[in-house]
Amino acid sequence: MRKHLFEGIIRAPLTEPAPSPDGAALTELANSLDRTARRRLGGSLSIRVVDAGSCNGCELELHALGNAFYDLERFGFHLVASPRHADVLFVTGPVTTNMREALERTYSAIPNPKWVVALGDCALDGGLFAGSYACVGGVASVIPVDLHIRGCPPPPEKIIEGLLALIA
Ligand code: SF4
């Protein structure tokens, strides 16, 4: 028992070290976010996720953020169930015709100030599904987007870099 306690004290943490904020994301955010608004977040973010029609690849990467290795909550980021408790709306996938109204209503339900992050290539411009009869297009064609996190799907560390840019 004593041996295990001693090992627990001297062993380095097994979690992924914190990445630096993404440089490209910081540049994009500089155009849409002023520092005062960012300071209001107080170094913590409540995030509501909407799958607007993704293949679920982006969701798998999002789920990985909650595991012990990436441990998203140690940065002060929390996923919330209600848009009324959220600061940030994460949207994955191209926006399908069926999800358009749900996305608009979720966006309207988030109190100001609020920010929208489009996650993945599909959320940027429709990605693989661009031009489909069932899709409206990228998230920006439905609601204003403050930050795009690219990738198909974006890996967890890329998502954390983007989030850190929001509160940098
Ligand atoms: S970006 Fe890739 S992983 Fe994400 S929803 Fe589109 S196809 Fe799926």
Side-chain angles (χ1 to χ4, degrees), residues 54-55 57-58 120-122 128-129 151-153:
S54 91
C55 73
C58 286
D121 289 348
C122 291
L128 293 174
F129 307 100
C152 180

Side-chain angles (χ1 to χ4, degrees), residues 47-70:
I47 304 162
R48 170 78 174 124
V49 181
V50 168
D51 173 353
S54 91
C55 73
N56 279 359
C58 286
E59 276 66 34
L60 288 174
E61 302 302 314
L62 266 176
H63 292 170
L65 292 175
N67 68 27
F69 187 69
Y70 293 108

